[in-house]
Amino acid sequence: MGSTIEAAIWFYAQRMLLFLRSLFGRRSHRVSVFSLTPPKGSNNNNHIYLCSLNGSSQLVSPFFLTCISNFLCFFRCPFGTEASFDKFGEVFDRRWVSEIVREGRWDDARIVNLFGSGLAPVWVPRILVALKEDPPLALKLFKWAKTRVGFCHTTESYCLLAHILFCCRMYADAHDILKDLVTSTQAFSVCDLFDVLWSTRNVCVSGYGVFDAFFSVLVELRMLEEATDCFLRMKRFRVLPKVRSCNYLLQRLAKTGKSELSRKFFRDLVSAGVPASVFTYNILIDYMCKEGDLKTAGILFEQMKKMCIMPDIVTYNTLIDGHGKLGHLDTSVSIVHEMKAAGCDPDVVTYNALINCFCKYERISEAFKILHEMKERGLKPNVVTYSTFIDAFCKEGMMQEAIKFFVDMRRIGLMPNEFTYTSLIDANFKGGHLDDALKLVKEMLQAGVKLNIVTYTTIVDGLCDEGRMEEAGEVFTAMLKAGVAPNRQIFTALVHGYIRAKKIENAMDILNEMKGKSIEPDLVMYGTIIWGLCNQEKVDEAKTLFNEMKTCGIEANHFVYTNLIDAYFKAGKATLALNLLQEMQEKGINPSVVTYCALIDGLCKLGLVNEAIRHFHMLRDMGLQPNVVVYTALIDGLCKNKCMEKARELFDEMLNKGMLPDKTAYTSLIDGNLKVGNTQEALDLQKRIVENGMELDPVAYTSLIVGLSKCGQMRQARNFLGEMIAKGMLPDVAVYSSLVRMYYELGNVDEALELQNEMVEKGLIGGISDYAVRHVQT
């Protein structure tokens, strides 16, 4: 039988060598042997060469030779429990091999000759089998062989040694060999490796634990999909991994968010007959709760009870927290009752989960009842309990209560953590208590509590809101020095702060730095910068960023489109603005009232009043209700284009709908009426402003004074000028000029000179003579 196997091996070896000869040499060459010695003139010592009888050589990589050896291994029969050396050109003896390996005589001619042959990778498995009674020696030889230049172990050698080591309970070494096998093998799939491991199982009675170890190695190396494929292979061979290993894979799948693969593996696990434990169910129930799939979590919960797997405190706490976070507070409470009925006492984690959920949904009074019950059952609140209440108080603006809890927790010896401090710091920033917020930061550092990314983001955001950009930049730099990786939120806070400070160049630098750290900007980031560019009338740069955003696959929303439309109108590019509106609608993004406000205002300012009216009607046709700003924009446009009748109709429509016109609407109508000579109506509107408790602003006074003076109502105009000055408002040149010009036209030079003197005193003009001559000539 042995001679038949040997003949078969040599047959396939010869065929492979003939193939190599045809691949690397001329047909007249006869391949005689693999050589580890490079030909003359070669500097490459890391390859094996095919040597022909005429002395020429062809380069073969170790990896390629290993593939050949692995190929040959698939034609070998499974090893028996007995094996001995046979003749491969020379007779080997097990004893001298053992002595050489034991004594480390690696320069012995016999071992040198053995590894000097190109077929050494094929012979090593037989040597390993010969040394199976002394596993440490087999491992020693294997490790030494790996250090040989140009030598690569076959898959068979790895698998044989794993079996040998596992048989003698050298589990750690067997694990390392299997890990090395998986990471170093490139030619075959994981299932192929498993097949070789299976085919070599009879080398010794190692049991089936080695297959579980192989499965665990795949999970450890995060080869999760390969591990699931391996499981199905093991299922077919009826050699299943342990439930602990299956739980390990299921946990890894859940952590990486592979939802479908997690569900499928669980089904395969159950159908294969692996005895799922409470830990198995806990892993999947926890994942389903975090995914928000409470229906599946409930089904698994009932399933485990039917299988007589009793839920433990982890199971109940997971379900309580999962339902609570989605607002199913009554369900969470009922699960607590079921938990108690099942003889499973709630712990601190249980109560903390309930308290957190009730606080999250602003039911703090009920959260206090839970805290009271917790104390009655002899459970002491911990840092999480206190921090949850402090955070809830901060979000509700109840700072005194938050500080009281903060003091109490320290009084009883509990050390606030980064979550506790961050809640208080954030609340103080938002409440405008900048100094208190910074004191807490200092206290946090002095207490040795490290700032995390959330804390840094809170501080940077708070400083940016206060316009203290230099300090915000310093905090950001300190964060980087502390080794805390920035996230998208802190970059967004900085960008928003720089844009509010009108430092758009700094905002663009932050955007580039963010992209340099491989953090992709999101819609909020792009939208914020586009908004800033539009506000600074940099519409071309805004459009460039808009196109970049679309190239990245980020769809703009109505906010981005509205800013661009408004900017185009302000730049006098009505066609481009309308094109954007059409693009917006084609993409199925419905314009908002704000969009229509920008559109109508822009069209009116460009004198396209009829187009503005058309869009005003479209707005109502779409079911959107125009607000005061929309009405005011259209009224202003109509007034500026002397369409007073339509303007009055819209104004009355506003009043009939119960809308309270603002000063802008009144001022537009006053200005419009004065331009068409309706002085009395303009004065009536001025009285209505006062009667409605509103103060005239400089724009309203300017409209009244200029308009009345042009209508020849000089006394009224002069009265409004005096009223304006008495209220501390400084009239500009346009106001004085309109009065002066009209006084000259009426021949009232004294009044004109008096006003000119006022202008000189206020620094509005340099001298009277030049100004007077200029206006007399006009």
Side-chain angles (χ1 to χ4, degrees):
M1 181 66 180
S3 60
T4 304
I5 297 171
E6 179 183 343
I9 293 171
W10 274 108
F11 172 77
Y12 286 111
Q14 288 167 2
R15 292 296 177 189
M16 282 299 282
L17 294 177
L18 288 172
F19 165 73
L20 292 171
R21 184 186 69 180
S22 65
L23 183 64
F24 293 103
R26 295 180 299 176
R27 290 187 180 275
S28 59
H29 291 177
R30 290 170 55 196
V31 179
S32 60
V33 69
F34 287 104
S35 173
L36 294 174
T37 306
K40 291 181 180 180
S42 173
N43 294 323
N44 195 330
N45 296 320
N46 296 321
H47 292 80
I48 298 171
Y49 293 81
L50 286 174
C51 301
S52 59
L53 292 178
N54 68 356
S56 65
S57 301
Q58 298 288 340
L59 179 66
V60 184
S61 70
F63 172 71
F64 188 65
L65 179 59
T66 304
C67 291
I68 297 169
S69 303
N70 281 329
F71 169 78
L72 294 175
C73 290
F74 277 100
F75 294 96
R76 296 178 69 108
C77 296
F79 281 92
T81 54
E82 297 295 331
S84 62
F85 288 108
D86 293 312
K87 186 174 181 180
F88 284 90
E90 182 181 349
V91 177
F92 296 100
D93 187 273
R94 183 185 308 174
R95 287 174 299 174
W96 67 256
V97 173
S98 299
E99 288 173 5
I100 289 172
V101 176
R102 185 176 292 107
E103 297 172 11
R105 291 189 280 112
W106 305 115
D107 56 350
D108 189 288
R110 290 167 293 182
I111 202 77
V112 170
N113 289 337
L114 173 66
F115 280 92
S117 168
L119 290 177
V122 181
W123 296 342
V124 167
R126 301 182 68 82
I127 302 173
L128 293 174
V129 174
L131 297 174
K132 70 176 183 178
E133 300 301 331
D134 196 342
L137 277 187
L139 179 61
K140 188 176 180 181
L141 174 68
F142 184 90
K143 287 182 176 179
W144 173 80
K146 278 188 68 177
T147 65
R148 295 277 299 177
V149 176
F151 178 85
C152 290
H153 281 298
T154 63
T155 302
E156 186 182 34
S157 294
Y158 279 101
C159 294
L160 286 168
L161 185 59
H163 283 294
I164 292 167
L165 294 173
F166 213 90
C167 185
C168 73
R169 299 183 180 182
M170 294 174 66
Y171 301 128
D173 293 307
H175 174 273
D176 291 341
I177 291 297
L178 290 171
K179 190 173 182 179
D180 195 16
L181 166 65
V182 175
T183 54
S184 62
T185 303
Q186 302 175 22
F188 301 106
S189 69
V190 165
C191 288
D192 289 335
L193 297 181
F194 178 83
D195 288 345
V196 178
L197 190 65
W198 178 261
S199 68
T200 54
R201 69 191 183 283
N202 291 328
V203 67
C204 52
V205 185
S206 63
Y208 294 122
V210 68
F211 300 104
D212 175 71
F214 179 73
F215 176 80
S216 296
V217 162
L218 296 177
V219 181
E220 182 184 331
L221 293 173
R222 298 184 183 278
M223 300 172 66
L224 306 184
E225 293 185 18
E226 292 85 347
T228 55
D229 292 340
C230 181
F231 178 85
L232 296 176
R233 198 81 159 189
M234 294 173 78
K235 179 182 176 182
R236 194 169 70 189
F237 282 91
R238 297 181 181 178
V239 50
L240 295 171
K242 296 175 183 177
V243 65
R244 180 183 58 190
S245 303
C246 292
N247 289 345
Y248 187 29
L249 173 57
L250 190 61
Q251 191 175 45
R252 280 288 176 90
L253 289 170
K255 282 185 177 179
T256 52
K258 297 181 182 292
S259 178
E260 288 305 315
L261 203 56
S262 299
R263 296 168 192 255
K264 181 181 181 301
F265 178 67
F266 180 79
R267 291 194 296 269
D268 291 339
L269 181 153
V270 173
S271 66
V274 175
S277 66
V278 65
F279 302 107
T280 315
Y281 278 97
N282 283 348
I283 292 166
L284 203 59
I285 288 172
D286 179 66
Y287 181 56
M288 292 300 109
C289 286
K290 285 175 180 173
E291 287 280 294
D293 187 358
L294 297 179
K295 182 179 179 182
T296 302
I299 292 170
L300 289 167
F301 182 60
E302 295 302 322
Q303 182 181 326
M304 68 186 293
K305 289 190 288 185
K306 286 179 183 177
M307 295 177 67
C308 297
I309 300 173
M310 295 305 297
D312 62 8
I313 195 164
V314 175
T315 320
Y316 286 113
N317 286 346
T318 300
L319 288 167
I320 290 164
D321 187 60
H323 281 282
K325 283 180 177 175
L326 290 183
H328 307 159
L329 304 182
D330 293 339
T331 306
S332 292
V333 172
S334 67
I335 293 172
V336 174
H337 292 320
E338 181 181 338
M339 178 182 182
K340 292 175 183 176
C344 186
D345 291 330
D347 60 3
V348 175
V349 176
T350 314
Y351 284 106
N352 281 346
L354 280 172
I355 289 168
N356 179 57
C357 297
F358 275 96
C359 285
K360 180 181 176 182
Y361 287 94
E362 301 176 6
R363 292 167 65 174
I364 298 179
S365 59
E366 290 165 270
F368 267 108
K369 291 178 183 177
I370 295 166
L371 177 65
H372 182 67
E373 181 187 325
M374 177 183 178
K375 290 179 178 178
E376 281 188 336
R377 295 179 71 90
L379 296 172
K380 293 182 179 180
N382 60 13
V383 174
V384 176
T385 318
Y386 277 97
S387 298
T388 302
F389 274 108
I390 289 169
D391 184 63
F393 288 135
C394 287
K395 284 183 170 61
E396 290 292 311
M398 302 166 67
M399 289 304 297
Q400 288 185 348
E401 289 80 359
I403 295 298
K404 181 180 180 299
F405 262 68
F406 183 67
V407 172
D408 283 348
M409 73 181 292
R410 290 193 295 184
R411 181 177 54 79
I412 64 173
L414 291 174
M415 184 66 188
N417 59 17
E418 63 274 13
F419 178 74
T420 322
Y421 278 110
T422 301
S423 297
L424 287 165
I425 292 166
D426 183 57
N428 276 291
F429 270 124
K430 287 177 179 174
H433 310 302
L434 183 67
D435 292 337
D436 291 337
L438 295 177
K439 282 180 185 176
L440 282 166
V441 174
K442 186 178 180 180
E443 181 184 319
M444 183 178 180
L445 292 170
Q446 289 174 343
V449 181
K450 290 185 178 180
L451 280 67
N452 59 20
I453 184 60
V454 179
T455 316
Y456 276 113
T457 303
T458 299
I459 298 167
V460 168
D461 189 47
L463 290 169
C464 288
D465 284 344
E466 292 291 326
R468 296 168 70 162
M469 296 309 302
E470 188 175 341
E471 291 169 80
E474 289 172 359
V475 172
F476 182 73
T477 302
M479 182 192 78
L480 297 178
K481 287 181 180 178
V484 178
N487 59 12
R488 187 182 291 113
Q489 287 72 26
I490 198 165
F491 280 117
T492 303
L494 280 169
V495 164
H496 193 263
Y498 280 123
I499 287 174
R500 286 179 60 184
K502 297 183 179 179
K503 295 181 178 181
I504 193 68
E505 292 79 12
N506 297 84
M508 294 301 294
D509 290 341
I510 291 293
L511 176 66
N512 292 328
E513 183 179 346
M514 178 180 176
K515 290 190 284 190
K517 293 183 180 294
S518 300
I519 301 174
E520 294 297 326
D522 59 1
L523 178 59
V524 175
M525 173 68 79
Y526 277 115
T528 302
I529 299 178
I530 289 170
W531 168 68
L533 290 167
C534 289
N535 281 347
Q536 295 192 22
E537 299 180 1
K538 296 184 177 183
V539 66
D540 291 333
E541 291 93 329
K543 187 62 190 297
T544 300
L545 203 62
F546 176 71
N547 291 333
E548 178 188 310
M549 182 182 76
K550 292 196 291 184
T551 303
C552 293
I554 300 173
E555 288 292 334
N557 58 11
H558 72 275
F559 172 80
V560 176
Y561 275 106
T562 299
N563 278 312
L564 282 168
I565 289 168
D566 185 53
Y568 273 131
F569 273 122
K570 285 176 179 175
K573 300 178 180 180
T575 303
L576 292 175
L578 292 171
N579 288 344
L580 270 180
L581 177 68
Q582 184 179 350
E583 179 186 317
M584 181 181 182
Q585 292 170 326
E586 286 173 355
K587 288 182 176 293
I589 303 170
N590 294 324
S592 66
V593 173
V594 180
T595 312
Y596 275 104
C597 181
L599 181 66
I600 290 166
D601 184 60
L603 290 168
C604 286
K605 282 183 170 61
L606 293 175
L608 304 171
V609 181
N610 290 331
E611 185 74 7
I613 292 171
R614 186 175 71 84
H615 283 286
F616 179 78
H617 292 307
M618 285 177 60
L619 181 149
R620 292 192 288 194
D621 292 341
M622 291 176 63
L624 295 173
Q625 291 299 318
N627 57 18
V628 172
V629 181
V630 176
Y631 274 107
T632 302
L634 190 52
I635 288 168
D636 184 62
L638 290 167
C639 289
K640 281 184 170 60
N641 287 274
K642 299 182 180 179
C643 302
M644 295 309 300
E645 188 176 345
K646 289 183 179 179
R648 279 191 288 268
E649 287 176 5
L650 278 179
F651 188 79
D652 291 337
E653 186 178 312
M654 279 180 72
L655 295 173
N656 292 334
K657 286 187 174 182
M659 295 182 185
L660 182 64
D662 57 13
K663 280 186 287 188
T664 306
Y666 278 109
T667 303
S668 297
L669 281 170
I670 288 170
D671 188 66
N673 277 297
L674 288 170
K675 281 177 180 176
V676 296
N678 296 333
T679 56
Q680 189 56 50
E681 190 166 345
L683 292 171
D684 289 342
L685 286 164
Q686 178 268 328
K687 289 178 182 177
R688 288 172 68 177
I689 291 177
V690 176
E691 287 170 359
N692 287 327
M694 291 183 281
E695 291 285 340
L696 294 177
D697 59 12
V699 178
Y701 276 115
T702 300
S703 295
L704 283 164
I705 295 166
V706 173
L708 288 168
S709 64
K710 285 181 179 179
C711 293
Q713 302 289 327
M714 299 305 294
R715 181 174 293 180
Q716 287 279 14
R718 192 66 183 270
N719 289 339
F720 279 119
L721 177 66
E723 187 179 311
M724 181 181 184
I725 294 169
K727 290 184 177 179
M729 302 178 198
L730 180 64
D732 60 12
V733 175
V735 173
Y736 277 108
S737 296
S738 64
L739 288 169
V740 170
R741 187 182 297 110
M742 188 53 63
Y743 276 129
Y744 274 121
E745 288 178 6
L746 294 173
N748 197 340
V749 177
D750 291 339
E751 293 288 346
L753 289 173
E754 182 184 336
L755 285 173
Q756 285 176 267
N757 284 325
E758 282 187 26
M759 293 173 74
V760 173
E761 289 173 3
K762 296 180 184 302
L764 296 175
I765 59 175
I768 295 177
S769 57
D770 294 338
Y771 183 87
V773 170
R774 185 169 64 251
H775 283 279
V776 169
Q777 289 174 346
T778 59

